[in-house]
């Protein structure tokens, strides 16, 4: 059933306590919670001189969910110690009462931040009635090392490594570095700042510092080098102490000598470290990395490579190497190494962690001595092995996404990646092993060499990715739709590796820009990606050439500077997503010069208003035969210059808005004028008036023209009718676009009145489509629509690009939770659910920067029941299917008497309401 055909009578009832008699005295019903600094919870070692603070308003206690609550003023206290904060002493910053409803992006403006400073803060607010809240729970942040001179140590490592043949993977054992230090007093506070490239793990007195893995974050190492700050107070002791660091190769010592584009290698692993210790008597000391450290590469990690795996020989373990008194007389003095060249900086994102552990769903034995563990889910991470056996026994764990017909691993799609971990037993008792410096994309694990017959609990799957908070829930009455949503979630989380990667299993794993343009907006409904994508946008800027050219992959570990428009467009699209979803204008302001340089650089390629630069076309359109990767049928192929002109037109609109944000009015006018020139050229060049289509009339050519507003108004209906005919007749109601068209497909169909067609396409279980993947056992999203039959040369089983705008459509259309462009960051909210198809209920929520938004509907007893929660300090525009306001009631009363609701207008069969914060229940006859 289409939304526009619903005829409804609405009743509205309040969920929660009545607010008919509002208080005028006493404490506020709301309080500040979920405090964030630079979009992070209690971050350590940041380097923003004026960090941005924010919070959400929540009910101050049970039963206090009312309507119309908003913040009238706030007060922030920032103190140098927890005790001062507890005593309400804001020695670093006390804003006093600030008359403002602002609760995000508030720049710290207190005492100057200095290196290593720890700040403790809290907030209280005044509500719309002038009542004051209790103080929030305290939060904190600490500063990193802000000046280059703060890094008084030297880069150290081992300047040795075996040469690698030109056609092989690089093999290099891990480096172990140590230093002892004697502390004369009782430790009050200690912070370790460490950058170990490519990967590192810090331990003190035999205990690991922090719970980060695959650390530090990836970067353009000659532009920025990331370091991590750890609070190590609890690890140190009075007297003798030992500091140890293990260095892995990561992407710094590149995993491959060659690849399709020539992989960049930055050199041998190296370490820069500073340990600051303050004693209870007020004195302090520091330890830095220098030539006094000792080093060896004769430890148990004999090889580590992100694509091939880790090899660990437990017989070579260095017992006590990171504890005081270890005999390191046979170790060499650490070599002084050159600096990587990039500026030392904090990554400003959540670290990668082990976030979940899965037990096997099944174990099979297809061949003698070969055991296949099925985790039941395609994951990213590694395995934890439990074993006991003779010394020297070697166990191999080989990882894959799928199986062959005979039940053995299918690894053809891994290309050159070996994806194999090798563990050699120490002997003498129970042993537990999990790797440090590799990761795999897999569902199935082949175990060979196990002493005896392994039990199911001999192996566990460890799920590993950037530890970002979940941003909401989504569930429907359709099990297939729920499974597709779960596959999207698993695939998305598996491709977080401090950058958004394309795939986690084969010898690629790069930050392809084109994969994440609109997909990134959908991700914001899954996880809190505010800091993550702000960091990646900076990575793209780091990879930009002086000419303005932006790569297709960032960081540019693969050297892909093709100067096509579509993939680099993500450089402009992601900052706009951060503005819309999180109210973050800071990324646009910081990167505007780089964005402008790229837009101007690409303008130089224009020819008569047409952008000819295109590299990949509409990547991975469903091909005409099941074994092809790319279609060879001209009728399915969209012209590259059509796609690029459409995208550059869209980019220019984003650039105009960015220019307005930074106050560059002349730039904004110029971008808009250029966009109009492109619009005219696009229609003059590509539109076929006889057929009413653009060029050869592919689905993607129609989708882009409609999505970007390139179509003259009098041609929209005809072009959309053509698109619908192509889908229904040519594609049999299935997806007929590749990566580019899929980024906008579901929204174009719904915005033009056919959400039913979008839903029908989504829920088909035959080829091609997301439901087809599920029917073939997929637990993530494939790279190819025909991922079960296509050439394995490019056939990832875990790829985000074909998600397109599906995650957006599920949340913004089915659940109906959308940001209002007039107030970025969900300060104003649009609630417009789309009951469609055979769905009988949908439940959705979103953790916005202003608080939890809920929109859930169900069909029950001849009624459509809609439950909505709008967080305090926000308002919403609600679209309710109804004939007129006279048919709408709230709580059994006429709408004009409803608290928190105001009728705005009727539009397209809906009553449009202005809704204040609060919880509501709507019921409409259907």
């Amino acid at each position: 059933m289409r939304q526009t055909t619903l005829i409804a009578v609405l009743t509205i009832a309040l969920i929660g306590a009545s607010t008919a008699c509002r208080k005028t005295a006493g404490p506020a019903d709301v309080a500040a919670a979920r405090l964030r600094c630079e979009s992070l919870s209690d971050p350590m070692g940041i380097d923003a001189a004026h960090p941005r603070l924010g919070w959400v308003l929540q009910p101050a206690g049970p039963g206090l969910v009312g309507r119309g609550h908003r913040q009238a003023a706030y007060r922030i206290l920032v103190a140098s110690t927890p005790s001062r904060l507890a005593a309400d002493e804001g020695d670093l910053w006390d804003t006093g009462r600030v008359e403002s409803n602002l609760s995000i992006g508030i720049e710290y403006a207190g005492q100057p931040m200095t290196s290593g400073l720890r700040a403790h803060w809290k907030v209280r607010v005044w509500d719309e009635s002038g009542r004051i809240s209790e103080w929030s729970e305290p939060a904190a942040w600490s500063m990193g090392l802000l000046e280059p001179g703060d890094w008084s140590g030297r880069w150290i490592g081992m300047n040795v490594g075996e040469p690698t043949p030109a056609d092989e993977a690089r093999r290099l054992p891990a480096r172990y570095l140590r230093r002892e230090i004697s502390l004369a007093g009782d430790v009050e506070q200690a912070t370790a700042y460490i950058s170990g490239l490519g990967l590192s793990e810090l331990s003190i007195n035999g205990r690991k510092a922090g719970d980060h893995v695959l650390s530090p974050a990836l970067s353009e190492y000659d532009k920025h080098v990331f370091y991590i700050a750890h609070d190590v107070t609890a690890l140190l002791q009075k007297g003798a102490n030992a500091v140890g660091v293990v260095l892995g190769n990561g992407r710094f010592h590149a995993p491959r000598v060659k690849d399709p584009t020539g992989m960049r290698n930055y050199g041998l692993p190296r370490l820069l470290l500073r340990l600051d210790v303050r004693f209870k008597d007020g004195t302090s000391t520091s330890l830095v990395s220098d030539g006094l450290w000792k080093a060896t590469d004769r430890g148990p990690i004999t090889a580590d490579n992100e694509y091939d795996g880790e090899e660990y020989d437990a017989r070579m373990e260095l017992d006590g190497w990171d504890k005081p008194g270890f005999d390191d007389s046979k170790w060499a003095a650490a070599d002084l190494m050159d600096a990587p060249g990039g500026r030392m900086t904090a990554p400003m994102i959540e670290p990668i962690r082990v976030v979940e552990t899965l037990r096997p769903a099944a174990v099979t034995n297809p061949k003698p001595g070969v055991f296949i563990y099925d985790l039941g889910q395609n994951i990213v991470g590694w395995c934890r092995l439990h074993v006991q056996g003779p010394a020297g026994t070697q166990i191999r764990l080989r990882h894959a996404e799928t199986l062959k017909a005979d039940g053995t691993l299918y690894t053809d799609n891994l290309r050159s990646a070996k994806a194999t971990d090798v563990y050699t037993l120490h002997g003498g008792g129970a042993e537990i092993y999990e790797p440090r410096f590799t990761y795999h994309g897999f569902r199935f694990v082949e175990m060979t060499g196990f002493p005896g017959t392994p039990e199911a609990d001999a192996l566990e799957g460890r799920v590993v990715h950037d530890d970002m908070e979940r941003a909401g829930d989504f569930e429907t009455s359709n099990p297939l739709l729920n499974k597709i949503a779960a596959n999207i979630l698993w695939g998305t989380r598996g491709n977080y590796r401090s950058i958004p990667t394309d795939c986690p299993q084969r010898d690629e794993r790069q930050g392809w820009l084109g994969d994440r343009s609109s997909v990134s907006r959908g991700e914001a409904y899954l996880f809190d990606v505010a800091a993550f994508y702000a960091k990646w946008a900076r990575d793209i800027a780091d990879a930009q050439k002086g000419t303005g050219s932006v790569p297709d992959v960032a960081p540019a570990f693969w050297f892909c500077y093709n100067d096509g428009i579509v993939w680099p467009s993500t450089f402009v699209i992601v900052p706009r997503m951060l503005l819309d979803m999180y109210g973050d204008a800071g990324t646009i302001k910081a990167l505007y010069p780089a964005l402008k340089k790229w837009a101007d650089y690409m303008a130089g390629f224009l020819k008569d208003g047409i952008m000819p630069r295109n590299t990949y076309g509409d990547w991975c359109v469903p091909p005409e035969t099941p074994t092809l990767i790319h279609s060879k049928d001209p009728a399915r192929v969209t012209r590259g210059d059509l796609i690029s002109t459409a995208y550059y037109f869209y980019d220019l609109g984003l650039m105009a808005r960015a220019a307005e944000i930074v106050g560059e009015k002349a730039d904004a006018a110029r971008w808009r004028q250029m966009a109009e020139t492109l619009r005219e050229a696009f229609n003059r060049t590509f539109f076929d008036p006889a057929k009413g289509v653009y060029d050869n009339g592919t689905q993607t050519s129609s989708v882009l023209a409609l999505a970007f507003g390139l179509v003259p108004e009098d041609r929209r209906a005809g072009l959309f009718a053509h698109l619908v005919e192509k889908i229904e007749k040519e594609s049999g109601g299935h997806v007929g676009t590749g990566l580019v068209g899929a980024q906008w497909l579901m929204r174009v169909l719904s915005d033009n009145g056919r959400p039913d067609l979008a839903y029908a396409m989504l829920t088909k279980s035959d080829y091609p489509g997301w439901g087809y993947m599920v029917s073939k056992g997929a637990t993530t999203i494939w790279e190819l629509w025909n991922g079960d039959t296509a050439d394995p040369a490019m056939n990832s089983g875990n790829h985000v690009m074909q998600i397109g705008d599906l995650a957006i459509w599920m949340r913004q259309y089915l659940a109906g939770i959308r940001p209002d462009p007039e107030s970025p960051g969900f300060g104003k909210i649009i609630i417009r659910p789309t009951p469609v198809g055979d769905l009988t209920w949908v439940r959705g929520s979103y953790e916005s920067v202003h608080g939890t938004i809920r929109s859930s509907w169900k069909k029950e007893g001849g009624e459509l029941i809609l439950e909505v929660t709008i967080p305090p300090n926000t308002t919403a525009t609600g679209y309710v299917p109804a004939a007129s306001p006279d048919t709408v009631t709230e709580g059994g009363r006429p709408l004009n008497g409803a608290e928190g609701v105001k009728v705005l207008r009727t539009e397209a069969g809906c009553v449009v309401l202005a809704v204040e914060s609060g919880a509501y229940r709507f019921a409409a006859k259907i």
Side-chain angles (χ1 to χ4, degrees), residues 423-553:
Y423 179 70
T424 304
L425 273 66
H426 180 279
E431 302 179 42
I432 299 175
Y433 165 72
E434 58 183 298
R436 286 183 175 91
F437 299 138
T438 191
Y439 71 100
H440 312 288
F442 66 102
R443 172 177 172 174
F444 300 96
V445 186
E446 175 195 86
M447 179 191 294
T448 57
F450 193 91
T453 301
E455 299 292 338
D457 59 4
L459 211 62
E460 299 168 297
R462 304 278 272 170
V463 181
V464 177
H465 58 75
D466 293 71
D467 193 13
M468 295 176 285
E469 292 184 0
R470 284 288 306 275
D473 297 309
F474 177 81
E475 191 177 10
T476 78
S477 58
N478 187 323
L480 175 58
L481 182 52
N482 295 339
K483 179 57 178 171
I484 294 171
N487 287 4
I488 291 172
L489 178 67
W490 274 100
T492 300
R493 69 191 294 205
N495 278 289
Y496 291 142
R497 195 259 178 264
S498 76
I499 63 170
T501 61
D502 61 331
C503 60
Q505 74 295 99
R506 68 184 181 218
D507 56 354
E508 190 164 343
R509 315 185 195 192
Q510 300 296 321
W512 285 98
L513 273 66
D515 294 19
R516 299 298 180 120
S517 53
S518 280
V519 172
S520 63
R521 185 177 294 265
E523 292 173 57
Y525 284 101
L526 307 179
F527 295 93
D528 181 355
V529 295
F532 180 84
Y533 269 107
K535 180 263 183 190
W536 193 48
R538 295 192 298 270
D539 291 339
I540 300 171
D542 281 350
Q544 185 177 34
K545 289 184 176 181
T547 61
S549 178
V550 167
D552 300 334
V553 171

Side-chain angles (χ1 to χ4, degrees), residues 1-11 833-841 857-866 880-883 887 909 922-926:
M1 183 181 296
R2 299 184 192 176
Q3 184 183 22
T4 54
T5 63
L6 288 175
I7 300 175
V9 178
L10 177 70
T11 60
T834 306
V836 67
D838 59 0
L839 288 174
T840 58
W841 58 267
W857 59 265
K858 61 183 176 180
K859 296 177 181 179
E860 184 177 85
E863 292 182 319
L864 176 70
I865 299 171
L866 173 65
V880 181
T887 64
F922 307 85
K925 297 286 186 182
I926 54 175

Side-chain angles (χ1 to χ4, degrees), residues 75-112:
R75 182 186 177 191
I76 301 173
L77 284 184
V78 185
S80 58
T81 65
S83 60
R84 284 181 169 172
L85 187 69
D88 296 343
E89 297 178 17
D91 60 316
L92 294 179
W93 194 33
D94 183 348
T95 65
R97 174 171 171 150
V98 178
E99 303 294 328
S100 173
N101 69 345
L102 192 63
S103 61
I104 62 173
I106 300 170
E107 288 194 1
Y108 171 83
Q111 296 297 316

Side-chain angles (χ1 to χ4, degrees), residues 261-550:
T261 64
M263 180 168 281
R264 299 173 70 184
N265 182 33
Y266 292 87
L268 295 169
R270 59 203 64 194
L271 166 71
L272 184 63
L273 178 143
R274 171 173 162 172
L275 171 62
D276 289 342
V277 182
R278 188 176 72 235
F279 300 107
K280 291 182 179 179
D281 64 4
T283 61
S284 61
T285 189
S286 292
L287 171 72
V288 300
S289 51
D290 55 26
L292 298 178
W293 285 58
K294 302 294 286 292
T296 185
D297 62 356
R298 302 288 293 172
I301 302 177
T302 58
D304 64 271
N305 180 300
E306 291 199 2
Y307 298 156
D308 299 323
E310 182 177 289
E311 298 177 22
Y312 189 99
D313 189 337
R315 298 171 301 178
M316 298 177 66
E317 288 178 340
L318 306 164
D319 292 338
W321 73 278
D322 53 357
K323 295 180 180 179
F326 176 78
D327 180 6
D328 59 12
S329 59
K330 295 183 180 179
W331 289 31
D335 293 323
L336 299 180
M337 311 287 281
D338 292 335
R343 183 171 70 86
M344 301 298 296
T345 187
M348 306 292 282
I349 58 174
E350 297 290 353
I352 300 174
R353 294 187 174 99
V354 176
V355 298
E356 190 174 349
T357 300
L358 299 183
R359 299 190 182 279
V363 182
T364 59
N365 184 203
K367 293 182 179 180
V370 176
F371 300 92
I372 302 294
Y373 283 73
D374 177 5
L375 294 178
Q377 172 64 51
N378 196 356
I379 72 168
V380 177
W382 51 73
C383 289
R384 181 162 58 189
L385 172 68
H386 300 262
V387 64
Q388 184 169 342
T393 302
Q394 192 173 83
I395 300 174
R396 301 176 68 86
L397 302 177
R398 207 160 57 111
H399 305 75
E401 294 181 305
T402 56
L403 299 176
K404 297 178 183 178
D406 64 359
T408 60
L409 291 192
Y410 176 81
T411 60
D412 291 357
N413 70 326
L414 303 185
R415 299 195 299 220
S416 69
K418 296 178 182 177
T420 302
D421 298 326
V422 181
Y423 179 70
T424 304
L425 273 66
H426 180 279
E431 302 179 42
I432 299 175
Y433 165 72
E434 58 183 298
R436 286 183 175 91
F437 299 138
T438 191
Y439 71 100
H440 312 288
F442 66 102
R443 172 177 172 174
F444 300 96
V445 186
E446 175 195 86
M447 179 191 294
T448 57
F450 193 91
T453 301
E455 299 292 338
D457 59 4
L459 211 62
E460 299 168 297
R462 304 278 272 170
V463 181
V464 177
H465 58 75
D466 293 71
D467 193 13
M468 295 176 285
E469 292 184 0
R470 284 288 306 275
D473 297 309
F474 177 81
E475 191 177 10
T476 78
S477 58
N478 187 323
L480 175 58
L481 182 52
N482 295 339
K483 179 57 178 171
I484 294 171
N487 287 4
I488 291 172
L489 178 67
W490 274 100
T492 300
R493 69 191 294 205
N495 278 289
Y496 291 142
R497 195 259 178 264
S498 76
I499 63 170
T501 61
D502 61 331
C503 60
Q505 74 295 99
R506 68 184 181 218
D507 56 354
E508 190 164 343
R509 315 185 195 192
Q510 300 296 321
W512 285 98
L513 273 66
D515 294 19
R516 299 298 180 120
S517 53
S518 280
V519 172
S520 63
R521 185 177 294 265
E523 292 173 57
Y525 284 101
L526 307 179
F527 295 93
D528 181 355
V529 295
F532 180 84
Y533 269 107
K535 180 263 183 190
W536 193 48
R538 295 192 298 270
D539 291 339
I540 300 171
D542 281 350
Q544 185 177 34
K545 289 184 176 181
T547 61
S549 178
V550 167

Side-chain angles (χ1 to χ4, degrees), residues 481 703 707 720 723 727 735 737 741-763 770 785 802-810 813-814:
L481 182 52
V703 166
F720 183 68
L723 173 62
I727 293 172
V735 176
T737 68
Q743 302 270 336
W744 313 93
L745 175 62
M746 304 295 282
R747 287 173 290 175
V748 163
L749 290 175
S750 297
D751 289 343
N752 289 275
R754 293 301 307 272
D756 60 317
L757 181 56
Y759 178 76
M761 179 188 300
L762 168 61
T763 53
W770 301 282
W785 297 113
Q802 298 295 21
I803 293 171
D805 65 347
L806 183 51
I808 303 173
W809 189 78
M810 288 176 172
Y813 289 77
L814 291 186

